[in-house]
Amino acid sequence: MKTKALFNWSSGKDSALALYKVLQDPNFEISCLLTSVNTQHQRVSMHGLRVDLLQAQAASIGIPLEIMYLPEMPTMEAYENVMKNTLTKLKEQGITLSIFGDIFLEDLRKYREEKLEIMGFKGLFPLWNIPTMSLIQEFIVLGFKTIVVCGNERYLDKSFVGRIIDQSFIDDLPEDVDVCGENGEFHTFTFDGPLFSKPLMFDKGEIVYRKYEKPATTATNTACDTDANNAYDFGFYYCDLLPL
């Protein structure tokens, strides 16, 4: 009997590769993609991706999308209340497993597993502790295509935002930047590859800069691979993608 699972979908490359791997396993049934969206701006949290493109992703993948709406700067209490309500609803559908694309952030994994256990869920991390250079090379070889939609100025300048991740991009990264952006250096939008029935079409819009005031407490985005402790220390560059 297959285990019914939700997949925490960020819209980026790590989510895409983790989902691809899980779909090869006959023991799991992915019931939905769960993504948190900024209610005010109608964009994927941290990635800044328009909801229209998120919905197009899910349609091309062929898995129902579950959107978890959050305020722009949710407190930990607000975030956890929304997550509790969402998981309660999904548990009623027989879902008992929550899958993530995290790679090596120990504190984040511990947080996720502790909260899931309270709700009667287990966590699964298909990419856990795999070297990130191996993961990005596998991602490219499989035929996935992804574009950088958000860059943290602490690590990258504006020129990296809006670029497709290929060998040239990897070669240009500073030495202190993880090739998968696992420390929150950058975030991506995956628009083609073996998961998709057809590529997602878009135009690149303007690149904008935003700086956030660090709140006293921050919520950890369940579908995001950023380091929440550093997320608000620096400004971010966003490349606006316009659906076609």
Side-chain angles (χ1 to χ4, degrees):
M1 184 176 178
K2 292 186 176 183
T3 300
K4 297 185 69 174
L6 68 92
F7 190 94
N8 294 276
W9 179 255
S10 72
S11 75
K13 57 180 175 33
D14 300 337
S15 280
L17 184 57
L19 179 59
Y20 174 82
K21 289 179 177 292
V22 170
L23 290 175
Q24 313 308 306
D25 192 326
N27 294 310
F28 303 114
E29 175 188 337
I30 308 300
S31 299
C32 68
L33 306 177
L34 176 63
T35 307
S36 63
V37 165
N38 182 309
T39 303
Q40 180 180 346
H41 299 290
Q42 289 295 295
R43 292 175 184 261
V44 175
S45 301
M46 289 306 301
H47 289 228
L49 182 77
R50 293 171 183 257
V51 169
D52 290 353
L53 283 171
L54 171 66
Q55 292 169 331
Q57 268 188 328
S60 185
I61 293 170
I63 298 176
L65 177 66
E66 180 76 25
I67 294 179
M68 189 173 71
Y69 288 101
L70 294 170
E72 183 169 14
M73 300 287 282
T75 63
M76 186 63 75
E77 181 181 7
Y79 166 79
E80 291 182 352
N81 284 338
V82 173
M83 177 56 69
K84 180 179 179 181
N85 291 338
T86 301
L87 291 182
T88 297
K89 179 179 69 174
L90 294 177
K91 189 175 182 181
E92 291 172 353
Q93 301 173 22
I95 298 172
T96 58
L97 184 68
S98 185
I99 306 175
F100 301 88
D102 299 320
I103 304 171
F104 58 67
L105 298 179
E106 295 279 358
D107 289 346
L108 184 55
R109 175 169 178 165
K110 181 181 178 181
Y111 169 82
R112 299 196 197 285
E113 290 178 326
E114 287 176 351
K115 296 302 179 182
L116 288 171
E117 185 177 7
I118 293 171
M119 295 295 299
F121 280 75
K122 291 186 177 181
L124 180 67
F125 301 80
L127 307 184
W128 192 251
N129 274 341
I130 300 175
T132 51
M133 183 60 78
S134 297
L135 290 174
I136 198 63
Q137 296 292 351
E138 180 182 7
F139 180 86
I140 293 171
V141 168
L142 285 169
F144 282 107
K145 295 181 181 179
T146 198
I147 182 172
V148 177
V149 291
C150 174
N152 186 334
E153 70 170 348
R154 177 181 182 183
Y155 304 100
L156 298 173
D157 62 44
K158 182 179 179 180
S159 68
F160 285 90
V161 180
R163 288 182 61 177
I164 303 295
I165 292 187
D166 54 14
Q167 190 59 50
S168 175
F169 176 89
I170 294 169
D171 293 341
D172 289 343
L173 285 174
E175 291 185 2
D176 62 342
V177 172
D178 180 73
V179 293
C180 285
E182 178 70 352
N183 296 304
E185 297 99 328
F186 60 90
H187 302 290
T188 59
F189 168 65
T190 300
F191 58 90
D192 197 7
L195 284 177
F196 302 100
S197 61
K198 60 180 181 180
L200 286 304
M201 306 302 293
F202 59 88
D203 277 336
K204 286 197 291 185
E206 65 177 330
I207 295 177
V208 300
Y209 175 82
R210 295 190 68 187
K211 190 173 182 67
Y212 301 91
E213 180 180 349
K214 187 174 182 179
T217 57
T218 59
T220 302
N221 177 3
T222 188
C224 188
D225 56 0
T226 190
D227 179 352
N229 292 323
N230 293 327
Y232 298 96
D233 289 342
F234 295 85
F236 294 83
Y237 295 103
Y238 292 94
C239 180
D240 191 18
L241 301 184
L242 310 174
L244 292 177

